[in-house]
Amino acid sequence: STLGLEPAIPMFAWSRQVAPEAVYVGGQVELIPFCNDSFDLITAAGSLNYADLPRAFAEIARVLRPAGSFFLYDFSTGRSLKDSDRLDRWFDTFLARFPAAKDSWKEITQATLLQESNPLRLLSFRPFTTDLMYDLDSYMDYLMTETNVAQAISEGHTEAAIRSWCRHTLVEIFGMKSLPVQFRGYIAHLIR
């Protein structure tokens, strides 16, 4: 069977849409609520960047069966265009205007996974780049999911004001067309 571990209980509302066959339990990766050697396969996507990595890796190693695999995958924020730096420059301004909370996110690199404190052994690390087509409205919808937007709203900005600023400043880049926005990421395979 497929199990999901979710620290934010309100996210359970989406579980039936995301993976209707899975069972979700509340918990954190630093203290996984399962017995030793419980899983053949563990995956994590874009979540360990917010975790205490030494504790998370120790717990994953504890619940992973000896012949099991851990796949970690993530991608960066879509902030680049294939043939122009205009969106990168805009995104720097966006982050300066609406900064993320300090220490809310930590980059995970191949070097991070190779640290001696990691009880898991890295078998492969494969970077990738993929382009997704966005028009102005769909890119703005994507931006509203960024953690710095949530931070700005918690500090008193309204979503409407953020959207208005984004629309006003992004129209020069997107206009009425769709553009290929680049996402860079990696897939890592680790074992005990």
Side-chain angles (χ1 to χ4, degrees), residues 67-85:
S69 289
F70 171 51
F71 285 93
L72 174 64
Y73 51 104
D74 198 7
F75 52 88
S76 65
T77 302
R79 56 169 293 159
S80 301
L81 297 175
K82 192 171 192 169
D83 300 321
S84 167
D85 69 347

Side-chain angles (χ1 to χ4, degrees), residues 19-158:
E21 72 288 348
V23 173
Y24 284 83
V25 297
Q28 295 181 310
V29 70
E30 296 92 344
L31 190 60
I32 299 174
F34 294 101
C35 297
N36 295 354
D37 303 329
S38 294
F39 297 97
D40 294 312
L41 175 64
I42 297 174
T43 65
S47 56
L48 292 188
N49 306 84
Y50 301 93
D52 176 327
L53 288 178
R55 288 179 55 209
F57 290 146
E59 278 293 280
I60 292 166
R62 181 184 67 77
V63 299
L64 192 62
R65 289 190 178 127
S69 289
F70 171 51
F71 285 93
L72 174 64
Y73 51 104
D74 198 7
F75 52 88
S76 65
T77 302
R79 56 169 293 159
S80 301
L81 297 175
K82 192 171 192 169
D83 300 321
S84 167
D85 69 347
R86 291 179 70 200
L87 190 58
D88 286 297
R89 287 185 283 119
W90 177 89
F91 207 89
D92 288 341
T93 303
F94 172 66
L95 289 176
R97 186 175 184 98
F98 306 111
K102 296 200 184 312
D103 301 324
S104 65
W105 182 88
K106 298 171 283 303
E107 183 178 15
I108 297 175
T109 64
Q110 186 172 4
T112 306
L113 300 175
L114 289 169
Q115 289 179 353
E116 286 184 32
S117 62
N118 185 356
L120 300 166
R121 185 165 57 98
L122 182 63
L123 291 183
S124 67
F125 186 92
R126 301 204 176 172
F128 66 85
T129 300
T130 190
D131 295 345
L132 298 177
M133 297 301 288
Y134 283 94
D135 62 16
L136 176 60
D137 289 329
S138 61
Y139 189 70
M140 285 179 30
D141 288 343
Y142 161 71
L143 287 174
M144 293 302 111
T145 68
E146 289 295 303
T147 57
N148 65 309
V149 171
Q151 178 68 28
I153 291 170
S154 76
E155 293 171 352
H157 295 272
T158 65

